[in-house]
Amino acid sequence: MNGATSRMSNRVTVTGGTARDIFLDEVAPDEYDQGWGVLLRYGPAHPAIRAIAGKEFTRGIFTHSRSHLNYHPGGQYEKFTAWIGRTTAEPNGRVQFRVYGDGRLLFLGEIMDGKSPARFIDVPIPGVSDLNLVVLDGGDGDG
């Protein structure tokens, strides 16, 4: 399947004193591997509008399925929150989202297609040094 894409709009909240949100469009992953295409970050510095089942987002990251984005938060963050789903721009294909912290599976999403609504996730990550965001193809090939 060619053209299946997925996107996330993500932020993490810093623990301690005053919490502040950090959006992943503001920082590059420490490492990433993507099946094809390029990782897109969009927000105030790179404006765009992406939609998941009609719900529009003005910031976040956009990647193709079969991708691994690795961040090293160094145990400083309390949680990872995101809206996840498949873009409506490419109606074909399915994806599955996973979040790993220090090698442990912290979130396993259901398989989603272009008609699936955007889903908000809230994953606790206190003490996590290695945060890995994974998008799989949902069983119907890379895209």
Side-chain angles (χ1 to χ4, degrees):
M1 172 214 51
N2 195 5
T5 55
S6 56
R7 85 168 267 318
M8 298 179 233
S9 175
N10 308 307
R11 72 173 182 239
V12 288
T13 303
V14 178
T15 56
T18 305
R20 77 176 182 93
D21 291 337
I22 298 172
F23 290 85
L24 293 186
D25 62 68
E26 298 172 345
V27 295
D30 293 295
E31 298 99 25
Y32 77 94
D33 179 37
Q34 188 166 303
W36 64 277
V38 296
L39 174 66
L40 299 176
R41 295 181 298 155
Y42 60 98
H46 305 284
I49 296 176
R50 305 281 186 217
I52 300 172
K55 182 173 181 59
E56 292 185 344
F57 298 88
T58 57
R59 64 183 316 162
I61 57 175
F62 179 90
T63 185
H64 291 273
S65 61
R66 293 253 182 190
S67 65
H68 302 262
L69 291 86
N70 196 304
Y71 297 87
H72 300 293
Q76 301 176 60
Y77 301 94
E78 170 183 320
K79 62 184 175 175
F80 170 77
T81 62
W83 283 95
I84 60 171
R86 274 251 313 78
T87 180
T88 51
E90 298 287 341
N92 299 318
R94 302 178 313 161
V95 294
Q96 183 184 46
F97 296 90
R98 296 180 182 185
V99 177
Y100 292 87
D102 296 330
R104 297 181 325 268
L105 181 63
L106 303 177
F107 171 80
L108 174 64
E110 70 277 2
I111 293 176
M112 303 173 83
D113 62 25
K115 295 177 186 169
S116 301
R119 177 173 176 200
F120 182 77
I121 64 170
D122 187 336
V123 181
I125 61 166
V128 168
S129 294
D130 185 46
L131 182 67
N132 194 6
L133 310 178
V134 177
V135 182
L136 299 176
D137 65 24
D140 56 0
D142 290 350

Short mmCIF file of all heavy atoms in Angstrom, two decimals, residues 76-117:
data_model
loop_
_atom_site.label_atom_id
_atom_site.label_comp_id
_atom_site.label_asym_id
_atom_site.label_seq_id
_atom_site.Cartn_x
_atom_site.Cartn_y
_atom_site.Cartn_z
N GLN A 76 12.94 13.53 32.91
CA GLN A 76 12.46 14.83 33.39
C GLN A 76 10.97 15.06 33.20
O GLN A 76 10.47 16.09 33.64
CB GLN A 76 13.19 15.95 32.63
CG GLN A 76 14.67 15.95 32.78
CD GLN A 76 15.25 17.05 31.91
OE1 GLN A 76 14.94 18.21 32.09
NE2 GLN A 76 16.08 16.67 30.96
N TYR A 77 10.28 14.16 32.54
CA TYR A 77 8.90 14.43 32.16
C TYR A 77 7.92 13.51 32.87
O TYR A 77 8.22 12.37 33.19
CB TYR A 77 8.75 14.33 30.64
CG TYR A 77 9.65 15.32 29.95
CD1 TYR A 77 10.92 14.93 29.52
CD2 TYR A 77 9.27 16.63 29.80
CE1 TYR A 77 11.76 15.83 28.92
CE2 TYR A 77 10.12 17.55 29.19
CZ TYR A 77 11.36 17.14 28.76
OH TYR A 77 12.20 18.04 28.18
N GLU A 78 6.76 14.03 33.07
CA GLU A 78 5.69 13.36 33.80
C GLU A 78 4.81 12.51 32.90
O GLU A 78 4.40 11.41 33.25
CB GLU A 78 4.88 14.46 34.48
CG GLU A 78 3.60 14.09 35.11
CD GLU A 78 2.92 15.34 35.65
OE1 GLU A 78 3.60 16.21 36.22
OE2 GLU A 78 1.70 15.42 35.50
N LYS A 79 4.49 13.06 31.71
CA LYS A 79 3.59 12.33 30.83
C LYS A 79 3.81 12.74 29.38
O LYS A 79 4.36 13.80 29.09
CB LYS A 79 2.13 12.56 31.21
CG LYS A 79 1.67 13.99 31.11
CD LYS A 79 0.23 14.11 31.61
CE LYS A 79 -0.21 15.57 31.63
NZ LYS A 79 -1.63 15.66 32.00
N PHE A 80 3.38 11.86 28.50
CA PHE A 80 3.37 12.11 27.07
C PHE A 80 1.91 12.11 26.65
O PHE A 80 1.19 11.15 26.91
CB PHE A 80 4.14 11.00 26.33
CG PHE A 80 3.97 11.05 24.84
CD1 PHE A 80 4.66 11.98 24.10
CD2 PHE A 80 3.12 10.17 24.20
CE1 PHE A 80 4.50 12.03 22.72
CE2 PHE A 80 2.95 10.21 22.84
CZ PHE A 80 3.65 11.15 22.09
N THR A 81 1.46 13.20 26.05
CA THR A 81 0.09 13.26 25.56
C THR A 81 0.12 13.53 24.08
O THR A 81 1.03 14.21 23.56
CB THR A 81 -0.74 14.35 26.28
OG1 THR A 81 -0.17 15.63 26.03
CG2 THR A 81 -0.83 14.08 27.77
N ALA A 82 -0.86 13.00 23.37
CA ALA A 82 -0.90 13.17 21.92
C ALA A 82 -2.30 12.90 21.39
O ALA A 82 -3.06 12.14 21.99
CB ALA A 82 0.08 12.22 21.25
N TRP A 83 -2.61 13.52 20.29
CA TRP A 83 -3.74 13.13 19.45
C TRP A 83 -3.12 12.28 18.35
O TRP A 83 -2.17 12.71 17.69
CB TRP A 83 -4.43 14.34 18.84
CG TRP A 83 -5.30 15.07 19.80
CD1 TRP A 83 -4.96 16.16 20.55
CD2 TRP A 83 -6.64 14.76 20.13
NE1 TRP A 83 -6.02 16.55 21.32
CE2 TRP A 83 -7.08 15.71 21.08
CE3 TRP A 83 -7.54 13.78 19.72
CZ2 TRP A 83 -8.36 15.70 21.62
CZ3 TRP A 83 -8.81 13.77 20.25
CH2 TRP A 83 -9.20 14.71 21.19
N ILE A 84 -3.62 11.07 18.17
CA ILE A 84 -3.06 10.17 17.17
C ILE A 84 -4.13 9.78 16.16
O ILE A 84 -5.33 9.84 16.44
CB ILE A 84 -2.46 8.90 17.81
CG1 ILE A 84 -3.53 8.12 18.59
CG2 ILE A 84 -1.28 9.27 18.72
CD1 ILE A 84 -3.07 6.76 19.08
N GLY A 85 -3.68 9.39 14.97
CA GLY A 85 -4.61 8.90 13.96
C GLY A 85 -4.01 8.98 12.57
O GLY A 85 -2.87 9.41 12.39
N ARG A 86 -4.81 8.57 11.61
CA ARG A 86 -4.43 8.59 10.20
C ARG A 86 -4.94 9.86 9.55
O ARG A 86 -6.07 10.24 9.76
CB ARG A 86 -5.08 7.41 9.47
CG ARG A 86 -4.30 6.16 9.56
CD ARG A 86 -3.61 5.66 8.34
NE ARG A 86 -4.10 5.51 7.02
CZ ARG A 86 -4.26 6.46 6.11
NH1 ARG A 86 -4.15 7.71 6.39
NH2 ARG A 86 -4.58 6.18 4.89
N THR A 87 -4.12 10.48 8.75
CA THR A 87 -4.57 11.67 8.05
C THR A 87 -5.69 11.34 7.07
O THR A 87 -5.72 10.24 6.51
CB THR A 87 -3.40 12.35 7.29
OG1 THR A 87 -3.90 13.50 6.63
CG2 THR A 87 -2.79 11.43 6.27
N THR A 88 -6.60 12.25 6.89
CA THR A 88 -7.68 12.03 5.93
C THR A 88 -7.23 12.37 4.52
O THR A 88 -7.96 12.11 3.56
CB THR A 88 -8.92 12.86 6.31
OG1 THR A 88 -8.53 14.21 6.52
CG2 THR A 88 -9.56 12.33 7.57
N ALA A 89 -6.04 12.94 4.36
CA ALA A 89 -5.54 13.28 3.03
C ALA A 89 -5.28 12.04 2.18
O ALA A 89 -5.37 12.08 0.97
CB ALA A 89 -4.27 14.11 3.14
N GLU A 90 -4.93 10.95 2.81
CA GLU A 90 -4.70 9.67 2.13
C GLU A 90 -5.66 8.65 2.73
O GLU A 90 -5.44 8.16 3.82
CB GLU A 90 -3.25 9.21 2.35
CG GLU A 90 -2.20 10.14 1.79
CD GLU A 90 -2.14 10.07 0.27
OE1 GLU A 90 -2.62 9.09 -0.33
OE2 GLU A 90 -1.58 11.02 -0.31
N PRO A 91 -6.76 8.34 2.04
CA PRO A 91 -7.82 7.53 2.66
C PRO A 91 -7.51 6.05 2.84
O PRO A 91 -8.17 5.37 3.61
CB PRO A 91 -8.99 7.72 1.70
CG PRO A 91 -8.36 8.00 0.38
CD PRO A 91 -7.11 8.77 0.69
N ASN A 92 -6.51 5.53 2.14
CA ASN A 92 -6.25 4.09 2.20
C ASN A 92 -5.19 3.76 3.24
O ASN A 92 -4.32 4.56 3.53
CB ASN A 92 -5.78 3.59 0.83
CG ASN A 92 -6.83 3.82 -0.23
OD1 ASN A 92 -8.01 3.61 0.00
ND2 ASN A 92 -6.40 4.30 -1.38
N GLY A 93 -5.27 2.56 3.74
CA GLY A 93 -4.25 2.05 4.65
C GLY A 93 -4.61 2.16 6.11
O GLY A 93 -5.49 2.93 6.50
N ARG A 94 -3.94 1.34 6.90
CA ARG A 94 -4.17 1.30 8.34
C ARG A 94 -2.86 1.48 9.06
O ARG A 94 -1.80 1.17 8.52
CB ARG A 94 -4.82 -0.03 8.71
CG ARG A 94 -6.13 -0.27 7.99
CD ARG A 94 -6.78 -1.60 8.29
NE ARG A 94 -5.82 -2.70 8.22
CZ ARG A 94 -6.03 -3.88 8.77
NH1 ARG A 94 -7.14 -4.12 9.42
NH2 ARG A 94 -5.14 -4.83 8.66
N VAL A 95 -2.94 1.96 10.31
CA VAL A 95 -1.75 2.17 11.12
C VAL A 95 -2.02 1.75 12.56
O VAL A 95 -3.17 1.63 12.98
CB VAL A 95 -1.29 3.65 11.11
CG1 VAL A 95 -0.82 4.08 9.73
CG2 VAL A 95 -2.36 4.57 11.62
N GLN A 96 -0.94 1.53 13.28
CA GLN A 96 -1.03 1.26 14.70
C GLN A 96 0.07 2.04 15.41
O GLN A 96 1.22 2.06 14.94
CB GLN A 96 -0.86 -0.23 15.00
CG GLN A 96 -1.02 -0.54 16.49
CD GLN A 96 -0.76 -2.00 16.80
OE1 GLN A 96 0.22 -2.57 16.34
NE2 GLN A 96 -1.64 -2.58 17.58
N PHE A 97 -0.28 2.68 16.52
CA PHE A 97 0.66 3.49 17.28
C PHE A 97 1.07 2.76 18.55
O PHE A 97 0.24 2.13 19.20
CB PHE A 97 0.03 4.83 17.67
CG PHE A 97 -0.31 5.68 16.49
CD1 PHE A 97 -1.55 5.59 15.88
CD2 PHE A 97 0.63 6.57 15.97
CE1 PHE A 97 -1.86 6.36 14.78
CE2 PHE A 97 0.32 7.34 14.87
CZ PHE A 97 -0.93 7.24 14.27
N ARG A 98 2.35 2.89 18.89
CA ARG A 98 2.87 2.33 20.13
C ARG A 98 3.81 3.34 20.77
O ARG A 98 4.48 4.10 20.07
CB ARG A 98 3.66 1.04 19.86
CG ARG A 98 2.80 -0.07 19.30
CD ARG A 98 3.60 -1.31 19.05
NE ARG A 98 2.74 -2.34 18.47
CZ ARG A 98 3.13 -3.58 18.21
NH1 ARG A 98 4.37 -3.95 18.51
NH2 ARG A 98 2.29 -4.44 17.68
N VAL A 99 3.85 3.32 22.10
CA VAL A 99 4.78 4.17 22.84
C VAL A 99 5.56 3.26 23.78
O VAL A 99 4.97 2.49 24.54
CB VAL A 99 4.03 5.26 23.66
CG1 VAL A 99 5.02 6.07 24.49
CG2 VAL A 99 3.21 6.16 22.74
N TYR A 100 6.89 3.37 23.70
CA TYR A 100 7.77 2.60 24.57
C TYR A 100 8.56 3.57 25.44
O TYR A 100 8.96 4.64 24.99
CB TYR A 100 8.77 1.78 23.75
CG TYR A 100 8.16 0.66 22.95
CD1 TYR A 100 7.66 0.88 21.67
CD2 TYR A 100 8.10 -0.63 23.48
CE1 TYR A 100 7.10 -0.15 20.92
CE2 TYR A 100 7.53 -1.67 22.74
CZ TYR A 100 7.03 -1.42 21.47
OH TYR A 100 6.48 -2.44 20.75
N GLY A 101 8.80 3.18 26.67
CA GLY A 101 9.64 3.93 27.58
C GLY A 101 10.70 3.02 28.15
O GLY A 101 10.36 1.98 28.75
N ASP A 102 11.95 3.33 27.91
CA ASP A 102 13.07 2.49 28.37
C ASP A 102 12.88 1.03 27.99
O ASP A 102 13.13 0.11 28.77
CB ASP A 102 13.26 2.63 29.89
CG ASP A 102 13.65 4.04 30.28
OD1 ASP A 102 14.30 4.74 29.47
OD2 ASP A 102 13.29 4.46 31.41
N GLY A 103 12.37 0.81 26.77
CA GLY A 103 12.19 -0.54 26.24
C GLY A 103 10.90 -1.23 26.64
O GLY A 103 10.61 -2.33 26.16
N ARG A 104 10.12 -0.63 27.53
CA ARG A 104 8.85 -1.23 27.97
C ARG A 104 7.69 -0.64 27.17
O ARG A 104 7.63 0.57 26.96
CB ARG A 104 8.60 -0.96 29.45
CG ARG A 104 9.62 -1.55 30.40
CD ARG A 104 9.28 -1.26 31.88
NE ARG A 104 8.68 0.04 32.13
CZ ARG A 104 9.35 1.15 32.43
NH1 ARG A 104 10.67 1.13 32.50
NH2 ARG A 104 8.72 2.28 32.66
N LEU A 105 6.76 -1.50 26.75
CA LEU A 105 5.58 -1.04 26.04
C LEU A 105 4.67 -0.30 27.02
O LEU A 105 4.22 -0.87 28.01
CB LEU A 105 4.82 -2.21 25.42
CG LEU A 105 3.56 -1.86 24.63
CD1 LEU A 105 3.89 -1.01 23.42
CD2 LEU A 105 2.85 -3.15 24.21
N LEU A 106 4.43 0.99 26.77
CA LEU A 106 3.61 1.81 27.66
C LEU A 106 2.22 2.06 27.08
O LEU A 106 1.28 2.33 27.81
CB LEU A 106 4.28 3.16 27.92
CG LEU A 106 5.69 3.12 28.51
CD1 LEU A 106 6.25 4.53 28.63
CD2 LEU A 106 5.68 2.40 29.85
N PHE A 107 2.12 2.00 25.75
CA PHE A 107 0.83 2.22 25.09
C PHE A 107 0.79 1.39 23.82
O PHE A 107 1.73 1.42 23.02
CB PHE A 107 0.62 3.70 24.73
CG PHE A 107 -0.57 3.93 23.85
CD1 PHE A 107 -1.85 3.96 24.40
CD2 PHE A 107 -0.43 4.09 22.48
CE1 PHE A 107 -2.96 4.15 23.58
CE2 PHE A 107 -1.54 4.27 21.67
CZ PHE A 107 -2.80 4.30 22.21
N LEU A 108 -0.31 0.67 23.62
CA LEU A 108 -0.55 -0.11 22.41
C LEU A 108 -1.90 0.33 21.86
O LEU A 108 -2.93 0.08 22.48
CB LEU A 108 -0.55 -1.61 22.71
CG LEU A 108 -0.93 -2.53 21.56
CD1 LEU A 108 0.09 -2.43 20.44
CD2 LEU A 108 -1.02 -3.97 22.07
N GLY A 109 -1.88 1.03 20.74
CA GLY A 109 -3.11 1.52 20.14
C GLY A 109 -3.79 0.47 19.28
O GLY A 109 -3.15 -0.47 18.81
N GLU A 110 -5.07 0.67 19.08
CA GLU A 110 -5.80 -0.20 18.17
C GLU A 110 -5.42 0.17 16.74
O GLU A 110 -4.89 1.25 16.48
CB GLU A 110 -7.32 -0.07 18.37
CG GLU A 110 -7.90 1.25 17.92
CD GLU A 110 -7.79 2.38 18.94
OE1 GLU A 110 -7.22 2.20 20.03
OE2 GLU A 110 -8.26 3.49 18.61
N ILE A 111 -5.67 -0.72 15.82
CA ILE A 111 -5.41 -0.43 14.41
C ILE A 111 -6.43 0.61 13.94
O ILE A 111 -7.62 0.49 14.21
CB ILE A 111 -5.45 -1.71 13.57
CG1 ILE A 111 -4.28 -2.60 13.98
CG2 ILE A 111 -5.42 -1.39 12.08
CD1 ILE A 111 -4.23 -3.95 13.32
N MET A 112 -5.92 1.65 13.27
CA MET A 112 -6.77 2.77 12.83
C MET A 112 -6.66 2.92 11.32
O MET A 112 -5.62 2.66 10.73
CB MET A 112 -6.30 4.07 13.49
CG MET A 112 -6.29 4.01 15.02
SD MET A 112 -5.55 5.49 15.76
CE MET A 112 -6.97 6.59 15.74
N ASP A 113 -7.77 3.36 10.70
CA ASP A 113 -7.74 3.68 9.28
C ASP A 113 -8.14 5.13 9.09
O ASP A 113 -8.32 5.86 10.06
CB ASP A 113 -8.63 2.72 8.48
CG ASP A 113 -10.10 2.78 8.87
OD1 ASP A 113 -10.57 3.82 9.39
OD2 ASP A 113 -10.80 1.79 8.63
N GLY A 114 -8.30 5.56 7.85
CA GLY A 114 -8.62 6.95 7.55
C GLY A 114 -9.97 7.41 8.05
O GLY A 114 -10.24 8.60 8.12
N LYS A 115 -10.83 6.47 8.42
CA LYS A 115 -12.16 6.82 8.96
C LYS A 115 -12.19 6.82 10.48
O LYS A 115 -13.16 7.26 11.08
CB LYS A 115 -13.21 5.85 8.42
CG LYS A 115 -13.39 5.94 6.93
CD LYS A 115 -14.38 4.91 6.44
CE LYS A 115 -14.44 4.94 4.92
NZ LYS A 115 -15.17 3.81 4.38
N SER A 116 -11.14 6.32 11.11
CA SER A 116 -11.08 6.28 12.58
C SER A 116 -10.95 7.70 13.12
O SER A 116 -10.17 8.50 12.59
CB SER A 116 -9.88 5.46 13.05
OG SER A 116 -9.93 4.14 12.57
N PRO A 117 -11.68 8.03 14.19
CA PRO A 117 -11.54 9.37 14.76
C PRO A 117 -10.18 9.54 15.43
O PRO A 117 -9.54 8.57 15.84
CB PRO A 117 -12.66 9.42 15.80
CG PRO A 117 -12.94 8.00 16.15
CD PRO A 117 -12.64 7.20 14.91
#
